[in-house]
Amino acid sequence: MSFEFAPTQEQVEMLKMVRKFVKKEIIPVRAYYDEEEEFPWPVFQKMAEIGVLCMSGPESISGYPWDNLTRCLVMEELARGCGGIATTPMANILASEPIEIAGTAEQKKWWFSGLCLKGEMGAYCVTEPGAGSDVAGLSSSVRREGNHYVLNGTKCFISNGGVASKYVVLARLNKSAGAKGLTFFLVDRHWDGVSHGKKEKKMGNRASDTSEVIFTDVKVPEEYLLGEEGGGFKIAMNAFNMSRPVIGAMAVGVSQFAMETARDYARERKQFGTPIANMQAVQFMLAEMDMRIEAARLLYQKAAWMLDKGLEVVRNSALAKCFGADMAQRVTSDAVQILGGYGYTREYPLEKAMRDAKLLQIVEGTSQIQKMIIAREILK
Ligand SMILES: Cc1cc2nc3c(=O)[nH]c(=O)nc-3n(C[C@H](O)[C@H](O)[C@H](O)COP(=O)(O)OP(=O)(O)OC[C@H]3O[C@@H](n4cnc5c(N)ncnc54)[C@H](O)[C@@H]3O)c2cc1C
């Protein structure tokens, strides 16, 4: 099976539109939303209008035949504009994966007509104060009562947590069954017992909403059970396999922006009577940035392509996520270095890129967890 590098005509058209959108609607406002830590509703309203706020769901609802590679390419462009703003469509993709994997036609209609047609946000509620990397250790509980379930628990660090209309929530139905005791449920924010805790004040990605979501005796009708009782952990792991190339794509976008900013600055900035771009030490930093970015791009594109071909992708998704995230941390830091003292100030956009990039090593499984997955795959 050959891996095709050239984008299709549809992808070329889509990327042209997204680049135009980023230039007009994201770049002029990204510093404001970062500084104010405000959720950019007007940007997302426009993003919904051009159809890239929710890049999931059946074509009959979303209006576009989304595949993994195309949405990763779009995410690279959005993150090139702003890593923080791109986190919201990323969170919509992550939250939509369990529904893509296990949703019934009715559940898909409920979820995607909100996200794709009404500009609503979704949120993936897995992490808890006592359970981050160890997903199987979560303790939010659910019990069956007649024809509904009763959900209790606190989820933390939830992207879109405070702004979402719909939640996909992993909870424990069986206390003694470990990972097999976990089940996913769909929850509407307007149901009794759904509330929000604190909104996190973050190092980066400050245009995105990261909040606690609290479920107190929430009555979940049985038709909102996703997949099977006890099938939640498997769905969660498959969802991560699908969404990790998206993080790799975001890493490439943030890094591409950082490299180009440093390159343009190096051409202009003169020291010792010559542009610093003429100094080999600076040239080598730029060359290494370019090399790393291109390698990360190939990794995420291959993983996304494999997903689209229905191939086994556990290792490749972890490679794309881990290499991309670690690469972005290095590249954005080197880009700050090329700008010297100016790079360290908030006058220039690179310190923000560095702060935004850091999240990518943490969210959706830390770089350490990705290495555990890769090691397990190559040793088995
Ligand atoms: C901005 C932001 C947005 C997020 N969005 C979401 C979201 O939408 N939905 C959601 O469910 N969660 C979300 N998260 C949570 C995120 O997925 C977790 O923070 C992440 O999985 C790590 O969990 P933790 O923070 O509890 O760290 P821990 O699991 O406590 O890890 C702490 C450190 O220990 C290391 N570690 C842990 N276990 C091992 C091990 N076995 N071997 C080696 N090292 C290990 C980790 O790599 C890390 O360095 C978000 C987090 C942030 C910061």
Side-chain angles (χ1 to χ4, degrees):
M1 209 179 295
S2 63
F3 176 39
E4 178 58 68
F5 292 95
T8 63
Q9 192 51 38
E10 289 77 37
Q11 286 166 342
V12 169
E13 295 298 323
M14 171 61 75
L15 295 178
K16 213 165 113 188
M17 177 189 71
V18 173
R19 278 190 197 121
K20 214 167 127 192
F21 176 82
V22 167
K23 195 169 167 201
K24 185 163 175 258
E25 309 292 350
I26 294 184
I27 292 175
V29 297
R30 65 185 170 198
Y32 168 84
Y33 285 109
D34 177 68
E35 195 71 28
E36 300 299 321
E37 292 192 60
E38 193 181 312
F39 192 73
W41 283 109
V43 176
F44 295 130
Q45 201 178 329
K46 288 174 197 153
M47 209 181 265
E49 280 163 23
I50 65 161
V52 298
L53 182 62
C54 175
M55 291 180 265
S56 308
E59 188 180 352
S60 56
I61 302 177
S62 74
Y64 192 82
W66 287 109
D67 55 60
N68 289 280
L69 182 54
T70 308
R71 68 177 160 217
C72 281
L73 294 170
V74 171
M75 285 305 300
E76 178 186 333
E77 292 304 323
L78 293 176
R80 197 165 167 175
C82 176
I85 291 176
T87 299
T88 289
M90 177 279 279
N92 277 345
I93 292 173
L94 173 63
S96 298
E97 301 298 15
I99 296 97
E100 295 256 34
I101 294 166
T104 61
E106 271 309 300
Q107 289 172 337
K108 285 183 180 166
K109 193 171 159 208
W110 178 77
W111 181 273
F112 290 113
S113 58
L115 267 71
C116 299
L117 304 177
K118 297 184 202 150
E120 291 177 355
M121 310 295 172
Y124 182 81
C125 300
V126 170
T127 302
E128 298 178 358
S133 300
D134 181 15
V135 171
L138 65 78
S139 60
S140 286
S141 70
V142 74
R143 64 176 192 277
R144 193 171 179 125
E145 277 184 8
N147 58 358
H148 66 265
Y149 296 86
V150 179
L151 173 65
N152 279 286
T154 296
K155 299 290 182 179
C156 66
F157 293 142
I158 304 305
S159 299
N160 291 349
V163 295
S165 301
K166 293 181 163 69
Y167 300 101
V168 58
V169 187
L170 190 59
R172 180 165 296 288
L173 187 61
N174 184 333
K175 277 193 186 135
S176 55
K180 291 201 172 131
L182 302 180
T183 305
F184 263 117
F185 293 89
L186 301 173
V187 174
D188 190 298
R189 86 173 275 157
H190 298 108
W191 290 350
D192 285 347
V194 180
S195 61
H196 304 118
K198 73 170 164 158
K199 180 181 169 187
E200 301 295 342
K201 287 180 178 289
K202 306 192 296 287
M203 169 200 267
N205 287 270
R206 292 162 57 156
S208 75
D209 177 278
T210 313
S211 298
E212 267 181 351
V213 187
I214 302 159
F215 303 98
T216 312
D217 289 329
V218 179
K219 266 172 112 173
V220 182
E222 63 186 354
E223 54 274 25
Y224 289 82
L225 162 82
L226 187 65
E228 292 171 3
E229 287 188 357
F233 185 77
K234 205 168 158 203
I235 296 173
M237 295 304 116
N238 284 335
F240 283 135
N241 288 337
M242 291 170 78
S243 63
R244 283 176 181 149
V246 173
I247 301 288
M250 290 176 73
V252 169
V254 171
S255 304
Q256 185 72 36
F257 163 71
M259 189 274 281
E260 287 173 5
T261 306
R263 177 201 62 193
D264 295 348
Y265 181 87
R267 283 183 178 139
E268 296 291 322
R269 173 71 170 170
K270 286 189 178 151
Q271 288 293 281
F272 303 96
T274 184
I276 60 169
N278 288 336
M279 290 152 185
Q280 200 180 50
V282 173
Q283 290 175 358
F284 279 15
M285 279 172 86
L286 288 168
E288 283 185 21
M289 287 178 188
D290 190 41
M291 187 165 63
R292 292 194 168 101
I293 293 168
E294 197 59 27
R297 184 175 281 120
L298 289 174
L299 281 175
Y300 93 65
Q301 291 190 358
K302 183 171 178 195
W305 173 85
M306 287 173 75
L307 276 166
D308 289 330
K309 295 285 173 209
L311 300 172
E312 162 68 44
V313 81
V314 177
R315 173 176 153 268
N316 293 79
S317 282
L319 290 174
K321 201 263 173 190
C322 188
F323 186 86
D326 290 353
M327 175 281 297
Q329 196 55 42
R330 172 77 191 265
V331 165
T332 53
S333 172
D334 285 353
V336 168
Q337 189 70 15
I338 289 179
L339 267 70
Y342 297 97
Y344 198 67
T345 69
R346 302 214 307 252
E347 289 274 301
Y348 286 80
L350 289 184
E351 57 81 37
K352 172 184 174 307
M354 196 175 157
R355 289 186 282 110
D356 289 350
K358 182 63 199 169
L359 174 67
L360 305 174
Q361 291 181 306
I362 297 169
V363 75
E364 293 191 35
T366 64
S367 288
Q368 289 72 33
I369 296 298
Q370 302 314 305
K371 284 175 197 165
M372 282 169 55
I373 294 169
I374 296 161
R376 195 179 58 214
E377 288 298 306
I378 59 178
L379 287 167
K380 80 181 179 192

